[in-house]
Amino acid sequence: MGKTAESVWKNCLKFVKDNIQEQAFETWFSPIQPIKLNENILTIQVPSKFFYEWLEEHYIKLLKIALQKELGKDAKLVYSIVMDQKYSGKDPYTVRIPSSNKEKLQPQEIDAPLPIDSKKVKNPFVIPGLQKIKIDSQLNTSNNFSNFIEGETNRLARSAGKAVAKRPGGTSFNPLFIYGGVGLGKTHLAHAIGLEAKENHPDKTVLYVSTEKFTQQFIDAVQSNNRNDFIHFYQMIDILIIDDVQFLSGKKGTQEAFFHIFNHLHQKGNQIILTSDKPPVDIQDMEQRLISRFKWGLSADLQVPDYETRFAILKHKVEKDGIEIPEEVIDHIAKSIKTNVRELEGCLNSIIAQATLNKKEITLELTQKTLANFINHTRKEISIDYIQRLVCDYFKIPFEQIQSKTRKRDVVQARQLAMFFAKKYTKASLSSIGSQIGKRDHATVLHACKTVKNLSETDKVFRGYVEDLNRKIGVE
Ligand code: ADP
Ligand code: MG
């Protein structure tokens, strides 16, 4: 009397809990619901077929002992499996399968959302039973901390990363959200954290995955009806690193799965590390509940490196590669390339390539030549603002004047030249040029273009201005 499915299951759980590791218990037993007790038959609900197979393969002996203690020698177990049909448009339904009570199930082929390419794997966790799961962390060992040069512009992100690697899940930096523009070291730092965390905590499972790969795995899992398995797999990771989460934008299904994974991991105190090309608030088409979770921990940005950091990165790289380069060359590259670390490295590589191919020494002269090509190639589009500043600079006129209403002759001339070059070098419309240069209308711009053309045909001095400016805009 008084026995219910709940009470029987509760006692079983107590027994199981004492006999397996906590994480395994959390993963495989917490999600189970007792449903029905019919004399000596207990029905439990499990979230997926994969779950049932896993229990049967690894825990059936334990379950049998626990159940017999509760319900006697003839105790039987029935699984009710939730079949997730959400994505094929049907409602979920359950199937009932009595426990085989066999010593061991035949090994089955399971499509598990593994971070490795082969899709057909016997079981995803390699080591069966009560031990910890073993997976390939997908970390690139060359992206480590000793290669990641510290500077003013990455100090916060780097030291937060170090702290997380020391005590994953144990700091308030959970999630650690690293953001910054392209080529500023997000991926490198993410790997470095993973590598160091693994070194400090060999017992923890670390997994790096790009958002593209994560999304693809999710789509595959849904198509093969393994959505729950996908989620469970990721929910078992101790330190999860997801790169470029801005690519989750607009992907509702993947966002939802990620939400469940995030919550589970965060609740268990597991570490989550995310990178993105923009801060959480600026990510478009992302569920609000995710954005707010991104902000729970620490958001740290990587900024464009300053000269000192650029210099140090280049110096580190040439020393590591054992290449002899004069300091003035490193100085020149560090001064010329200000965009990001990837371009800095690209530029250094092309100088090394030039020198090697032509069997020349790396000199300042060779560097300047190579750089001129490099910069011309990667030139940004010329902006109206840039043109105005160049013209002002040329005529030594303050920038405010060209923007003002003044009709002073030299300013009018400068303004007209700026309009002429804006028309020549940008795709902006006449009215857009007018509104950006002293708030004039399109007719004024048209008039300016005609005037410049006429004057440069008749006035030699004026023609000199046009040629000078043309060269400057085209070359600098
Ligand atoms: P992101 O993921 O932000 O686009 P990456 O991590 O791929 O940028 O970095 C681009 C390149 O710059 C990589 O080769 C990386 O090793 C290098 N890099 C970035 N930051 C640093 C740094 N602080 N020290 C050394 N190398 C760096
Ligand atoms: Mg990256």
Side-chain angles (χ1 to χ4, degrees), residues 68-238:
Q68 284 178 343
K69 274 172 62 150
E70 289 302 304
L71 298 172
K73 253 176 70 71
D74 293 327
K76 285 200 170 61
L77 186 63
V78 172
Y79 297 90
S80 163
I81 304 172
V82 183
M83 304 303 266
D84 190 354
Q85 297 289 300
K86 209 164 154 196
Y87 290 84
S88 57
K90 294 182 211 145
D91 287 337
Y93 66 100
T94 55
V95 294
R96 278 162 204 277
I97 306 178
S99 166
S100 64
N101 277 12
K102 274 189 279 171
E103 286 301 286
K104 209 164 169 61
L105 267 190
Q106 289 299 309
Q108 311 209 15
E109 297 236 311
I110 296 163
D111 267 347
L114 267 191
I116 49 177
D117 288 329
S118 86
K119 279 179 79 191
K120 294 268 181 262
V121 191
K122 290 260 159 48
N123 80 57
F125 312 122
V126 188
I127 298 177
L130 314 181
Q131 298 183 40
K132 291 285 280 188
I133 61 171
K134 256 214 166 121
I135 54 160
D136 181 343
S137 293
Q138 309 289 314
L139 292 165
N140 178 351
T141 49
S142 51
N143 283 338
N144 54 38
F145 266 119
S146 58
N147 277 342
F148 190 81
I149 306 303
E150 183 174 4
E152 216 39 71
T153 50
N154 62 31
R155 189 155 289 140
L156 173 68
R158 187 181 175 279
S159 60
K162 278 262 177 190
V164 161
K166 201 167 175 192
R167 292 198 302 132
T171 67
S172 55
F173 309 155
N174 201 12
L176 175 61
F177 189 97
I178 301 163
Y179 67 93
V182 292
L184 293 180
K186 301 181 294 292
T187 299
H188 187 142
L189 185 56
H191 280 275
I193 299 169
L195 288 166
E196 192 155 306
K198 220 174 144 187
E199 211 176 287
N200 291 338
H201 305 272
D203 56 317
K204 290 198 188 292
T205 50
V206 183
L207 180 62
Y208 167 92
V209 66
S210 68
T211 299
E212 284 121 308
K213 197 162 176 180
F214 181 82
T215 306
Q216 194 51 50
Q217 286 176 353
F218 174 73
I219 293 168
D220 289 347
V222 168
Q223 276 169 1
S224 52
N225 239 332
N226 285 330
R227 183 176 177 274
N228 289 343
D229 300 341
F230 170 87
I231 293 175
H232 289 139
F233 173 77
Y234 276 99
Q235 286 178 339
M236 287 200 296
I237 308 296
D238 295 317

Side-chain angles (χ1 to χ4, degrees), residues 301-434:
D301 66 338
L302 290 171
Q303 294 157 10
V304 177
D306 51 22
Y307 168 79
E308 283 76 20
T309 315
R310 298 200 296 272
F311 188 90
I313 290 173
L314 288 169
K315 198 154 168 62
H316 173 85
K317 198 165 153 57
V318 297
E319 273 166 13
K320 196 184 75 190
D321 296 347
I323 297 158
E324 299 251 330
I325 293 187
E327 291 242 326
E328 59 176 2
V329 167
I330 297 183
D331 168 78
H332 186 72
I333 304 172
K335 277 187 180 142
S336 313
I337 307 282
K338 300 172 185 165
T339 41
N340 64 51
V341 185
R342 193 172 294 144
E343 277 198 12
L344 204 60
E345 287 183 341
C347 178
L348 178 67
N349 290 338
S350 69
I351 289 163
I352 295 170
Q354 278 294 325
T356 316
L357 283 176
N358 303 323
K359 298 198 172 55
K360 280 187 189 156
E361 257 186 73
I362 299 177
T363 58
L364 189 57
E365 200 196 340
L366 176 96
T367 304
Q368 280 163 341
K369 264 196 204 147
T370 317
L371 267 178
N373 274 332
F374 197 84
I375 293 171
N376 269 343
H377 255 79
T378 52
R379 262 187 84 100
K380 294 236 167 61
E381 217 182 286
I382 297 168
S383 71
I384 295 177
D385 186 69
Y386 173 75
I387 291 170
Q388 289 186 79
R389 287 180 194 278
L390 206 86
V391 172
C392 288
D393 198 49
Y394 181 75
F395 290 114
K396 306 268 178 301
I397 293 172
F399 185 71
E400 301 78 56
Q401 293 240 325
I402 207 171
Q403 289 285 345
S404 73
K405 296 272 168 234
T406 177
R407 308 271 333 147
K408 280 207 321 225
R409 224 186 135 253
D410 57 338
V411 179
V412 171
Q413 193 180 63
R415 207 182 281 133
Q416 287 180 330
L417 278 161
M419 287 172 175
F420 170 81
F421 284 115
K423 178 83 189 84
K424 182 168 172 185
Y425 283 111
T426 74
K427 294 191 190 87
S429 66
L430 291 177
S431 57
S432 161
I433 292 170

